[in-house]
Every structure is written in structure tokens, then in C-alpha cells.
Amino acid sequence: MAQPVRVRTLTEQEGQKLQRIVRRSSTSTVRFRRAMMLQASAGGNTVPVIARLAQADEDTVRDVIHKFNQIGLTCLDPLWAGGRPRLLSDDDEDFVIQTATTRPAKLGQPCTRWSVRKLADHLRRDLARPIRIGREAPRYLLARRGITFQRTKTWKESTDPDFDAKLDRIEYVLHERPDRTFAFDEFGPLAIRPTAGACWAERGRPDRLPAAYHRTRGTRYFHGCYSVGDDTLWGVNRRRKGIGPTWAALKSIRAARPDGAPVYPRHLDVLAAQRRERARIRSEKGIRWGGRPLAAAA
């Protein structure tokens, strides 16, 4: 004769947890009913009695009891998965994510970015590892893995072999010689135009200023200088830019330290006036950009 199905002997912690779940009944219905089945079986009740008590099938009660004897209280939260079995394994999902985050050009595809349709077509036609997948599956998988469609960003890296050494010198003067370090840059063209402000007026009748479709008062260029040690900013507005205003701004930096000791002005970018001056000097010397003579380049 077969032995009746019943739970194993409960530990003190398991009994207290089942009692809290049954008394409070504030948890999910599945946890409450399963805890009630286990507690009733621990009290010596048979499977038919527990089935009538929990309004469940006797086979369901037996499955819960067997599951508890195998994995313990973890059986209170069953991992149900409805629908058909998974078509993609974990390795397949990792491969889909790897393909989606790789540039199509690196995989020999004539496009610059993946769409869901192109990604699904490429995965189906991949000879090395074909994966049959629809359009909604990759969309759901990418969202679950935290992969979103974003714009790419660019950056620039210096090709100068002495870049690190020059950067170390800049860091040195910024931290060890801040009183001799200056920054310099130019801003422009700055247009003189009316700016909307605020005033008292009747409701629905604000004061209006005519927009400036033409720069009737010209433009200005601001040459700014900044002392790192003094935390002081100064500059001057010019009607036009060129080597003259640039030299005037650099001379003002020299005038801020008239003792004749070295100063370290730092350019925030390469000025257009400097580029034109370098191009003029190279043109007079007959040297092309890159160091090759004009005749040899031609």
C-alpha cells in the first residue's frame, strides 16, 4: 500500500513563515493558497481534505507537496511560463545583442545603422549562425536588455606623438605656476541687436520692438584674457578681427606681469587670424601644407 502524500517535517523558521502568510493573507492568492496547503498537510490532513479546504484539485495539492519536499519554501512562488517554449536560448540572445550593437559595415552590410527589420533579416540570412526571429522579438529583447536607439557621438584624438608630454607641461603650469598662467580666446562675430525685456503694459498689448533683419550697427569681436592665479577676466571689443587685435590682447597679458619673467598664455583654440598668417607665410616660402614644395606637389 502506497504511503499517503504529506510534507516533510517543517523547521521552526518554515512554520513561522507559513503561519504569517496564512494569517495576514495580504500576499498574492497563489502564495496564500499554497501556504495553506502546506500548513494543512503539516497538521496531518490528507490530500482530499486539503483539496476541499483550498478549493483545488487533488493533483495540484500533491504537486505542491512534492515541490515543497524538493525545494522548500521556494515552491510558494512558481516560475510559470505560459505560451510556447522559447525559441531563443541565452546564447542566441547574447548573439542578437552583440549584432545589434555592432556597426553594419563591420559585418559587410551596405547600411550605416540597424533597423529592426534589417536586423531580423540579417540574423535569418547569417550563414555562420542563422537565427529565425521576427520583428517584435528583437524589439522586446533590446528593450529588456536596456539597448536603445541613440545618436552616435564623435570625438577627436591628437595624433601628436608628444601629446602626453605637452599635456603634462600644461598641468604643471596650471598647478605649480597659476600666477603666471593665462588663457586667451576670441569670440565673435557678436551682433548688436535688440533683446526682449520686460515692462508694464496693458493685458494682451505688450510693448514691441522691431526685429533687426540687417546688422545696421555692424558686428564686434571680443578678445578675452583670463588670469588663472588672480581669477580675473578682461578683454576688449574690436570692430574686426585680425593679427592686430590678437597682438594687443597678448600684450595686455604681458603688461599684467611686467617683471619680465616668463608667462604661459594658453590658447583655447586655434584662431582664424593665426591660420591665415601661417598660410600667408607658407605661401611666400613656397611650401605646401605637409612640408612639400609647391612644385613637387604639382
Side-chain angles (χ1 to χ4, degrees):
M1 181 176 178
Q3 294 292 331
V5 178
R6 60 178 301 174
V7 297
R8 56 173 172 79
T9 303
L10 301 179
T11 63
E12 184 177 357
Q13 293 79 10
E14 291 174 343
Q16 292 177 356
K17 185 171 183 179
L18 291 175
Q19 190 174 13
R20 285 197 303 267
I21 295 175
V22 174
R23 284 184 176 180
R24 294 180 181 179
S25 68
S26 59
T27 182
S28 65
T29 306
V30 176
R31 286 175 59 90
F32 174 75
R33 296 183 65 189
R34 287 183 166 233
M36 184 171 55
M37 294 177 190
L38 297 177
Q39 194 175 31
S41 178
N45 296 290
T46 60
V47 171
V49 175
I50 299 174
R52 290 194 299 269
L53 176 65
Q55 295 296 315
D57 188 76
E58 294 183 6
D59 292 338
T60 303
V61 177
R62 294 189 182 93
D63 291 341
V64 173
I65 293 176
H66 287 309
K67 205 67 174 177
F68 173 79
N69 294 334
Q70 294 175 1
I71 61 176
L73 293 180
T74 309
C75 70
L76 297 178
D77 300 307
L79 299 177
W80 289 327
R84 65 180 182 179
R86 293 178 55 189
L87 298 180
L88 296 180
S89 63
D90 294 337
D91 294 338
D92 292 338
E93 290 185 356
D94 295 338
F95 181 75
V96 173
I97 296 299
Q98 180 182 359
T99 305
T101 54
T102 304
R103 281 283 184 179
K106 293 183 179 180
L107 300 178
Q109 297 300 311
C111 55
T112 58
R113 57 188 179 184
W114 293 114
S115 63
V116 176
R117 179 181 60 82
K118 293 179 180 178
L119 178 62
D121 292 342
H122 171 72
L123 292 172
R124 284 196 298 267
R125 299 175 182 177
D126 190 2
L127 299 178
R129 187 174 183 177
I131 296 178
R132 296 185 58 186
I133 190 172
R135 295 186 183 181
E136 289 302 321
R139 193 192 311 275
Y140 173 76
L141 176 60
L142 294 174
R144 182 159 54 87
R145 293 291 187 93
I147 307 298
T148 59
F149 191 79
Q150 305 173 15
R151 289 189 176 274
T152 56
K153 296 183 179 180
T154 60
W155 71 93
K156 293 182 180 179
E157 294 182 355
S158 176
T159 58
D160 188 357
D162 300 329
F163 175 77
D164 294 333
K166 294 178 181 179
L167 184 61
D168 292 339
R169 290 199 296 268
I170 293 175
E171 295 292 336
Y172 172 78
V173 298
L174 284 176
H175 294 90
E176 302 297 333
R177 299 288 188 270
D179 56 329
R180 316 295 300 184
T181 306
F182 298 85
F184 165 73
D185 199 358
E186 70 174 10
F187 304 90
L190 306 176
I192 302 176
R193 57 186 179 183
T195 304
C199 66
W200 293 100
E202 296 182 13
R203 181 174 300 179
R205 295 180 178 273
D207 191 15
R208 299 180 182 275
L209 295 176
Y213 292 99
H214 304 283
R215 297 177 178 178
T216 57
R217 300 189 180 183
T219 58
R220 299 292 187 273
Y221 293 88
F222 178 75
H223 293 73
C225 306
Y226 174 71
S227 174
V228 177
D230 300 337
D231 192 18
T232 304
L233 176 67
W234 73 91
V236 61
N237 287 318
R238 304 284 183 174
R239 289 185 175 272
R240 57 179 58 88
K241 63 179 180 179
I243 194 63
T246 301
W247 277 115
L250 294 176
K251 289 180 180 178
S252 67
I253 294 178
R254 177 76 270 179
R257 299 293 186 269
D259 52 3
V263 294
Y264 308 99
R266 180 186 177 189
H267 296 272
L268 299 184
D269 58 359
V270 180
L271 303 179
Q274 292 177 325
R275 292 198 297 267
R276 286 199 301 270
E277 184 67 15
R278 292 175 184 175
R280 183 184 62 81
I281 295 175
R282 288 179 175 272
S283 178
E284 292 177 355
K285 292 183 179 181
I287 300 177
R288 201 168 173 270
W289 287 104
R292 292 178 296 172
L294 292 176

